Structures are given as C-alpha cells and as structure tokens.
Amino acid sequence: DVKVTQSSRYLVKRTGEKVFLECVQDMDHENMFWYRQDPGLGLRLIYFSYDVKMKEKGDIPEGYSVSREKKERFSLILESASTNQTSMYLCASSREGLRSETQYFGPGTRLLVL
Amino acid sequence: AQSVTQLGSHVSVSEGALVLLRCNYSSSVPPYLFWYVQYPNQGLQLLLKYTTGATLVKGINGFEAEFKKSETSFHLTKPSAHMSDAAEYFCAVSDSGGNNRLAFGKGNQVVVIP
C-alpha cells in the first residue's frame, strides 16, 4: 500500500526559529511536492522536486527552501519562521512521466508559529 | 496557466439527498482532471480522475464525475449523501508540463445534515 509519512502532525515554533518539516515516501516515486493549505485558499504549491537534488519553485516559494538528498525524502525548511507561516503543510509524491499520474498525500503537519 | 474554479466554499446537503459539487477548469492543453477528498485531520485522498476515454468517471464511495469539454466542467455527484461524506473536496487540473504539477480549486466543505 502506498504510504507518505510526515515527521510531525502538530508543531509549535517561535518566530525566528528554523523549522524542518520532513516527508518520506515508500513508493520509489520520482516527484515530490510541498503544499500549504489555508482556509478559503485551497492548496498552494511551495516547491517540488522531480529527482534527487533537483527542485523547482512553486507558486509561493518565498520564505521557504527545500532539500532532497535521497529519493524517498523531501524536506521543507523555514529559515526564520514567521507568524504568517502558520498553516497546514501537506507533502505529496507521484511517479514521473504522464500528466495523469496520481499524487499521494501525507497526513499533513499543522504548524503554529507564535 | 491552468486553473480551477469551485464555487461555494461550504455546501450543506441533507442525508439521502443528491450531492453536487461544481468544478470548472481552464486549460491550454487537453486536461487531466482530479477530485480529491480530505476527511478531518487527514491528508488528501483521490476520489476519481479523468484522463482520456469515457467522459463519465466512477470513483470510490459512490461518487462519479462527468467531463464536459464544451462546458469546461467536471462536476462531482453522488446520488444519496451519507453522514460519512462530510469532508472537504478539491478539484484539480494537471499542469501543461510533464512534471505532474496540479492546480487545485479552493475546495468545498460539505456538511451533511441528518
């Protein structure tokens, strides 16, 4: 069965802290994605990666960076957390290739920045 | 750029009544279309998707959607709502590139009234 796991379900951090969100998939997928979800705004793509060490900016990359050192793991980094980064963060993965490939999602990390 | 419009952030439906969630898309290439569901405190799960071929697509839990190119629509229906259908529903369209990016709508929060 397909599985995407995220390191934390809930996280509380202080303004200015460096925050790491980890995502691991066990499906040998090439593509991995980080989204943030806010009420009334749906899902917005922050960054995605189509191979190890490869990344591309999504629609809202400001204030975030990512790292993909191994195929199964994709990390989202908030260099200096701010209160406007309080949100639900969702990781997803998919096979490469066809535009019709399904994205598989993790359970999400709810981040509160105080 | 591809985009999706979902009207009505909150949808109330009586138990046993028809569920109808509307999705209209904009795409510069033949679209691949997806409906995802998010149950409380969970990640997104694929309900169904349209790639090519039959325009009426059946998904899990009794849901189906019909692709209508002339109307640029992909509305989701279920003949009889169940309490367990209370969730948030997202429509998405694939990006024109080959990297499996998706553009999501803002979602519909479905409330089922007993």
Side-chain angles (χ1 to χ4, degrees):
Chain A
D1 199 16
V2 160
K3 193 138 190 184
V4 179
T5 56
Q6 295 184 229
S7 51
S8 305
R9 293 300 303 273
Y10 301 94
L11 213 49
V12 180
K13 295 292 181 181
R14 297 213 173 269
T15 302
E17 279 193 78
K18 191 169 186 175
V19 181
F20 292 87
L21 302 182
E22 303 283 335
C23 175
V24 177
Q25 50 95 3
D26 65 358
M27 297 161 283
D28 201 35
H29 283 169
E30 290 76 17
N31 297 330
M32 297 189 74
F33 307 83
W34 274 108
Y35 296 90
R36 66 176 281 175
Q37 180 182 10
D38 300 289
L41 297 180
L43 275 73
R44 293 178 292 167
L45 182 65
I46 305 172
Y47 267 97
F48 70 99
S49 169
Y50 51 90
D51 202 350
V52 174
K53 297 189 185 295
M54 305 304 287
K55 61 186 178 185
E56 283 196 25
K57 293 180 180 179
D59 300 316
I60 52 164
E62 297 77 19
Y64 303 95
S65 62
V66 290
S67 173
R68 193 168 180 199
E69 297 296 319
K70 294 185 177 182
K71 189 176 185 179
E72 68 271 19
R73 189 179 298 268
F74 192 35
S75 302
L76 180 69
I77 303 157
L78 287 66
E79 295 289 342
S80 177
S82 63
T83 54
N84 63 13
Q85 292 178 310
T86 290
S87 187
M88 168 74 98
Y89 290 87
L90 292 166
C91 175
S93 71
S94 75
R95 294 191 303 182
E96 68 171 350
L98 300 176
R99 290 167 51 225
S100 58
E101 291 294 340
T102 299
Q103 288 190 19
Y104 296 89
F105 284 81
T109 296
R110 194 170 292 279
L111 173 67
L112 173 62
V113 182
L114 300 174
Chain B
Q2 278 59 245
S3 66
V4 165
T5 301
Q6 292 180 251
L7 296 178
S9 60
H10 287 77
V11 176
S12 294
V13 59
S14 297
E15 191 175 15
L18 172 72
V19 179
L20 170 60
L21 302 180
R22 298 179 188 274
C23 172
N24 289 90
Y25 68 89
S26 171
S27 179
S28 57
V29 296
Y32 294 132
L33 295 155
F34 303 76
W35 275 101
Y36 282 86
V37 61
Q38 184 180 33
Y39 298 106
N41 298 314
Q42 295 186 27
L44 276 67
Q45 175 184 356
L46 181 71
L47 264 181
L48 50 78
K49 66 180 178 181
Y50 168 77
T51 55
T52 57
T55 56
L56 182 62
V57 181
K58 295 188 184 298
I60 61 171
N61 302 337
F63 284 92
E64 62 182 36
E66 186 170 12
F67 170 61
K68 292 188 176 180
K69 183 179 178 180
S70 61
E71 299 178 7
T72 60
S73 70
F74 190 55
H75 302 332
L76 182 71
T77 60
K78 180 174 180 177
S80 177
H82 191 272
M83 296 301 293
S84 60
D85 295 326
E88 191 155 21
Y89 294 80
F90 293 94
C91 182
V93 63
S94 58
D95 190 77
S96 57
N99 49 33
N100 297 130
R101 283 182 65 159
L102 294 176
F104 284 87
K106 294 184 178 180
N108 295 122
Q109 184 70 53
V110 171
V111 175
V112 182
I113 303 167

